[in-house]
Amino acid sequence: MPDLDQFRSETRAWLAANCPPEMRLPMQNDEDTYWGGRNAVFTSEPQRVWFERMRDKGWTVPDWPKEYGGGGLDGAEVKVLREEMAAIGARSPLSSFGIWMLGPALLKYGTEEQKQEYLPKIARGEIRWCQGYSEPNAGSDLASLQTRAISDGDDFLITGSKIWTSYANYADWIFCLVRTDSSAKKHDGISFILFDMTSPGVSTKPILLISGKSPFCETFFDGVRVPKSHVVGTVNRGWDVAKYLLQHERAMISGMGERGAARPLGQIAADSIGSDEQGRLEDPILRGQIASFEIDEAALACAAERAVDLAKAGQGHPAFSSAMKYYGTELNKRRHEILMSAGGIDALEWDSERSKQGARPRAWLRTKANSIEGGTSEVMLGIVAKRILDLPGA
Amino acid sequence: MALVLNEEQTMLRESARGFIGDNAPVAHLRKLRDDNDATGFSRALWKNFAEMGFSGLLVPDEFGGSGLGCVEAGVVMEEIGRNLMPSPFLATAVLAASALTRGGSAAQKSEHLPKIADGSLLAALAIDEGAKHRPLQTAMQAVRSGNGFKLSGAKAFVVDGHVADLLIVAARSAGQPGDDAGLTLFLVDPKTKGIALERTAMVDSHNAARIEFDNVEVDADSVLGELDQGGALLEGILNVGRGAVASEMVGVSEEVFGRTVTYLKERKQFGKLIGEFQALQHRAAHLYTEIEITRAAVLKALQTLDADFDHAAAAVAVAKARAGTTATLAVQEGVQMHGGMGMTDQFDIGFFMKRARVCQELFGDSNFHADQLARLKNY
Ligand SMILES: Cc1cc2nc3c(=O)[nH]c(=O)nc-3n(C[C@H](O)[C@H](O)[C@H](O)COP(=O)(O)OP(=O)(O)OC[C@H]3O[C@@H](n4cnc5c(N)ncnc54)[C@H](O)[C@@H]3O)c2cc1C
């Protein structure tokens, strides 16, 4: 315990000295997020400095082993680091599908060579990844995917198309699900493979979202040649890797609401709506909605903390991330409905300096995808019903 | 601190689960109800309970208890909730024990705490006066008289007040209803002249009392804690009670949920198990999620009470509010998914519904705690 106290005070001091003040302000829009990658540009000097300092400590991935570019911290230390970062409102230095999704899957299923090759680059923000899972006819029913990988000597030739591939047009590499055996049962002929998005035969086309942004794409593969050594896990057993990765994706998405939540919602609302003489938010019904929202949000944070502790104690359930994903995303949508309500007509402004290019309404619209991406709420409930509650029926 | 039970706490849970499950399953409550039992719980069982060490859980070692914390009290409360065991545990072993431990003088402690630990003294907390829990609205008067005070007023919903040997009474020694300051807690013998006590049987077949105080004379040394400054002490005790009741509601929720999921796997309609219907699967999965999240929030509140007592108010408000809404949902879904069966008295599920309703009101319902949280966060 005293060791942990010492770690806390050292961490606090280090963050105080190294996290630029600008990196402690809540994020306003997409440009405040740094994604890394070959073509990455920093939008500000503090963003660069903060990223580089964290990277050099291995703290972009504090829990990964040091030999793969991580910080080598144990669970308790990671918790302390997160708490201390939250206490000063420090932004995440690097957002990355590599960190949230692929990294954990490689740590579990990758060969030593693959780990050496990719993990440090992910930790250092050198490769930006995208996720090639969904296809036009394989969304919730992901295992019905049709993109084919045909064996050709030491390589696979990949042909097909993906949809909803977030940031495919910015990504350097893709982790992709392909069908390597079309005669096998649905789940048994899928492989998990990695390749460079600049490979001949890869093309992307952006799709515009209701938020007015286009963070995702249709992605086409026309005979893309990929060495077989790029398969993660066993050929035709990619579904295991895919599912494991999805657990991490879901856990990540469930925690999204926490980001940039520096002030209590009630105070944000009071700024625009006003308070009565007793300091209570002027709109009593909204006040009640906010308070019950904040109760649920605080409770969810406890559950997230407990999920980590349970996993450490060997008492976790692998499907629990589905429950958290379901609840966290529904809650995040509620948060943004409240923010819109609190903002009133000010929150409706779209393209203007004053509204930071409509940051609030765009963010509100974007949250509607939370309960769709990474598996819909309905699919999450189905997983909980079957895998945790063991209810009957396929 | 990890947000899971440690080994000792897990062992305590197993022993409480075994003991209560064997000796006081729901059938025990049903029998007491059907017999119209005036006490409403089994004194013999309480004696055994005390011998197991449960009544002295929160009593410090030097007074014969085991000096454990709120997490441990919560562990026992949860098992009480699973079995709906009627018991003086909350009023005596949790509320009175913490009140005396936190606020008692040396003399008060050595007089009462050992008896709480050995199960020979039953105590009750007399706070609420109106239909809803509003501790600051306490109007009962404590007027100085000679070397002591005269208490006048009325209390409602005094849990276990009908059997208590000792009452802990909140009264106003200064100020007006609604004021923060001016509250004082008194230790009062319920047999004192001027006290009129009426047992109130509640919807859940537990017992409480309505108590009237007509110029009841008490000594100066019956003051628990500081004169006029009892508000903070009371709030602390109430927070312990809220955490404990929240745990009880987790137990209620879990048990109802477990019974409901079992039923979904047994009952057939339209040639299928009803658990195959997605409409019910999704509702069950939602309820599961709510319960797990609430369980984490309640454990957090109990750990915070043990680790940082003076800063536990927000965590407790979150826990009690969540536990109330979750238990309400659990019992409603429980009855609904059992169909007509769920509405019959012969079936146990209705007992859980009734207990959840009482626990929801006890020490502030979900709305009360949402308001508390908003105040704490300054909006
Ligand atoms: C913003 C965003 C980013 C995304 N990023 C990526 C990405 O980077 N890479 C990637 O591969 N994919 C990505 N996705 C795709 C996402 O995973 C799919 O959209 C999602 O799995 C749902 O599939 P679908 O859109 O085909 O909907 P459908 O599967 O057609 O679902 C339509 C509706 O039917 C319901 N439904 C379907 N099956 C069932 C069932 N069994 N029981 C009950 N209801 C059911 C769904 O819940 C939904 O309400 C992204 C999606 C969004 C919105």
Side-chain angles (χ1 to χ4, degrees):
Chain A
M1 223 34 161
D3 284 355
L4 204 58
D5 288 344
Q6 192 187 338
F7 177 76
R8 186 183 292 279
S9 58
E10 284 169 12
T11 300
R12 187 175 297 170
W14 188 87
L15 289 171
N18 288 284
C19 183
E22 297 85 345
M23 294 294 105
R24 305 178 192 192
L25 303 172
M27 300 213 191
Q28 298 289 353
N29 48 37
D30 293 353
E31 286 69 45
D32 290 338
T33 310
Y34 179 66
W35 290 93
R38 294 197 284 244
N39 305 314
V41 276
F42 294 100
T43 49
S44 73
E45 185 58 12
Q47 193 187 52
R48 185 187 65 78
V49 167
W50 175 227
F51 165 72
E52 288 178 356
R53 288 176 181 166
M54 287 292 276
R55 174 197 66 192
D56 292 347
K57 267 188 104 64
W59 281 4
T60 55
V61 280
D63 56 330
W64 291 9
K66 281 197 165 148
E67 73 233 66
Y68 303 134
L73 303 187
D74 67 24
E77 290 168 333
V78 172
K79 204 158 152 181
V80 167
L81 174 61
R82 301 235 183 283
E83 283 166 9
E84 292 302 320
M85 284 177 67
I88 61 168
R91 289 182 191 169
S92 167
L94 175 63
S95 292
S96 156
F97 287 15
I99 294 176
W100 299 326
M101 305 180 204
L102 178 61
L106 279 174
L107 280 165
K108 184 167 164 83
Y109 291 98
T111 61
E112 187 53 35
E113 256 178 349
Q114 289 170 338
K115 290 182 194 172
Q116 297 281 0
E117 170 63 21
Y118 301 112
L119 293 174
K121 288 184 182 161
I122 292 172
R124 302 177 62 82
E126 289 165 8
I127 309 182
R128 181 166 178 176
W129 294 87
C130 65
Q131 176 184 32
Y133 272 34
S134 305
E135 297 183 8
N137 291 313
S140 299
D141 186 14
L142 179 59
S144 61
L145 60 93
Q146 294 302 329
T147 291
R148 311 244 316 219
I150 315 269
S151 175
D152 183 32
D154 289 342
D155 299 335
F156 280 120
L157 293 178
I158 299 177
T159 300
S161 72
K162 295 284 173 182
I163 194 167
W164 319 130
T165 331
S166 296
Y167 306 109
N169 48 344
Y170 298 113
D172 305 314
W173 278 62
I174 187 166
F175 47 91
C176 195
L177 294 178
V178 294
R179 188 155 296 287
T180 33
D181 182 356
S182 4
S183 61
K185 274 196 298 180
K186 204 156 128 171
H187 296 89
D188 294 340
I190 294 172
S191 298
F192 185 105
I193 194 162
L194 313 174
F195 55 92
D196 195 319
M197 290 292 279
T198 59
S199 312
V202 178
S203 59
T204 64
K205 192 168 122 206
I207 307 170
L208 196 66
L209 287 188
I210 53 175
S211 62
K213 302 262 166 144
S214 61
F216 58 26
C217 298
E218 284 180 272
T219 309
F220 308 94
F221 311 126
D222 183 10
V224 182
R225 182 170 290 279
V226 182
K228 286 182 178 166
S229 62
H230 288 195
V231 169
V232 178
T234 313
V235 172
N236 292 333
R237 302 293 317 154
W239 189 246
D240 298 338
V241 187
K243 270 196 314 190
Y244 184 74
L245 182 144
L246 278 171
Q247 278 172 34
H248 286 269
E249 177 176 4
R250 287 165 187 166
M252 182 277 293
I253 296 175
S254 79
M256 275 203 309
E258 294 166 46
R259 285 197 230 141
R263 295 191 76 204
L265 266 189
Q267 289 178 16
I268 296 174
D271 289 347
S272 61
I273 299 175
S275 304
D276 67 14
E277 318 83 66
Q278 284 164 49
R280 285 182 304 220
L281 185 65
E282 196 60 84
D283 178 339
I285 294 178
L286 182 63
R287 179 175 181 265
Q289 288 172 349
I290 293 177
S292 66
F293 169 82
E294 294 204 314
I295 283 165
D296 291 344
E297 190 185 47
L300 181 74
C302 297
E305 183 182 340
R306 181 167 149 85
V308 173
D309 293 337
L310 278 172
K312 234 181 348 189
Q315 298 167 23
H317 191 295
F320 191 66
S321 62
S322 293
M324 293 293 284
K325 198 273 179 185
Y326 159 65
Y327 205 85
T329 56
E330 296 296 338
L331 204 62
N332 201 36
K333 291 198 294 185
R334 234 167 98 197
R335 153 183 286 278
H336 283 263
E337 285 300 334
I338 290 174
L339 277 168
M340 289 301 284
S341 227
I345 48 179
D346 283 344
L348 302 176
E349 214 168 302
W350 191 247
D351 271 323
S352 68
E353 187 72 29
R354 184 171 172 272
S355 67
K356 305 225 165 49
Q357 266 59 51
R360 191 178 283 194
R362 287 180 204 273
W364 161 69
L365 288 163
R366 176 61 181 82
T367 60
K368 301 306 177 197
N370 294 165
S371 50
I372 298 171
E373 61 197 328
T376 65
S377 285
E378 291 74 24
V379 168
M380 294 305 104
L381 290 171
I383 291 174
V384 171
K386 282 169 195 115
R387 298 205 28 222
I388 300 183
L389 304 180
D390 199 23
L391 288 173
Chain B
M1 204 180 323
L3 211 48
V4 288
L5 295 184
N6 66 27
E7 220 171 294
E8 290 79 45
Q9 290 158 349
T10 307
M11 277 165 58
L12 175 68
R13 185 183 66 190
E14 296 320 315
S15 94
R17 184 166 293 179
F19 182 86
I20 298 173
D22 289 348
N23 295 289
V26 183
H28 174 73
L29 172 66
R30 181 185 288 279
K31 172 138 198 344
L32 289 165
R33 181 198 68 171
D34 292 348
D35 293 351
N36 244 324
D37 190 279
T39 310
F41 63 90
S42 158
R43 286 191 187 263
L45 190 59
W46 177 244
K47 193 163 163 284
N48 296 340
F49 210 65
E51 280 158 11
M52 297 281 293
F54 294 134
S55 59
L57 218 64
L58 289 177
V59 173
D61 305 349
E62 68 259 44
F63 300 108
S66 44
L68 292 169
C70 293
V71 174
E72 284 81 4
V75 161
V76 175
M77 285 300 290
E78 190 178 319
E79 299 310 316
I80 287 177
R82 275 177 196 279
N83 294 282
L84 300 177
M85 175 193 181
S87 145
F89 184 77
L90 175 68
T92 298
V94 177
L95 294 165
S98 7
L100 285 157
T101 305
R102 300 208 155 260
S105 64
Q108 289 167 340
K109 286 183 188 171
S110 51
E111 183 180 353
H112 301 300
L113 284 173
K115 292 189 199 153
I116 289 181
D118 71 19
S120 60
L121 178 101
L122 298 180
L125 195 60
I127 310 294
D128 288 322
E129 300 177 0
K132 297 298 268 189
H133 176 68
R134 297 282 183 271
L136 284 186
Q137 292 301 330
T138 297
M140 180 151 144
Q141 293 288 325
V143 182
R144 267 171 206 282
S145 147
N147 140 54
F149 297 85
K150 277 189 178 162
L151 306 181
S152 297
K155 295 288 181 183
F157 197 23
V158 181
V159 174
D160 291 345
H162 66 304
V163 289
D165 308 304
L166 177 70
L167 296 173
I168 300 175
V169 183
R172 203 156 265 299
S173 44
Q176 300 294 320
D179 290 353
D180 280 337
L183 288 178
T184 302
L185 297 182
F186 294 91
L187 297 178
V188 184
D189 180 344
K191 291 187 288 295
T192 314
K193 189 164 155 277
I195 293 184
L197 203 145
E198 179 200 353
R199 173 189 159 213
T200 44
M202 313 297 283
V203 63
D204 63 338
S205 315
H206 282 47
N207 286 298
R210 245 193 294 277
I211 308 182
E212 283 179 33
F213 297 77
D214 180 14
N215 281 306
V216 174
E217 292 186 29
V218 295
D219 291 344
D221 56 14
S222 68
V223 170
L224 181 72
E226 277 179 68
L227 189 66
D228 295 344
Q229 306 298 319
L233 175 61
L234 176 62
E235 191 58 22
I237 302 161
L238 285 172
N239 280 339
V240 174
R242 289 161 180 157
V245 175
S247 290
E248 181 173 356
M249 285 193 279
V250 169
V252 166
S253 306
E254 283 236 329
E255 181 63 25
V256 171
F257 182 62
R259 289 172 183 230
T260 304
V261 170
T262 303
Y263 195 67
L264 293 179
K265 294 175 187 172
E266 287 168 2
R267 169 77 176 162
K268 276 196 165 171
Q269 289 290 289
F270 301 98
K272 285 182 178 181
L273 293 169
I274 58 173
E276 292 180 57
F277 296 119
Q278 197 181 57
L280 300 191
Q281 289 189 346
H282 283 194
R283 280 161 54 188
H286 172 78
L287 180 52
Y288 163 82
T289 308
E290 293 279 3
I291 292 172
E292 285 303 310
I293 290 169
T294 295
R295 164 181 290 291
V298 172
L299 185 52
K300 183 66 154 193
L302 297 170
Q303 287 188 353
T304 311
L305 282 165
D306 287 334
D308 192 6
F309 191 81
D310 294 331
H311 299 104
V316 169
V318 167
K320 180 68 169 65
R322 280 274 329 178
T325 42
T326 302
T328 302
L329 181 67
V331 296
Q332 285 172 356
E333 290 289 64
V335 169
Q336 181 67 22
M337 293 195 204
H338 278 88
M341 193 60 131
M343 288 301 295
T344 62
D345 182 71
Q346 166 214 339
F347 208 68
D348 284 342
I349 212 112
F351 281 78
F352 288 92
M353 179 166 269
K354 293 168 186 170
R355 184 64 192 154
R357 186 63 248 166
V358 171
C359 290
Q360 167 76 289
E361 289 302 323
L362 200 51
F363 309 137
D365 63 10
S366 297
N367 292 343
F368 175 90
H369 289 290
D371 180 66
Q372 291 271 92
L373 189 81
R375 281 170 199 273
L376 286 165
K377 292 199 171 189
N378 289 315
Y379 65 84

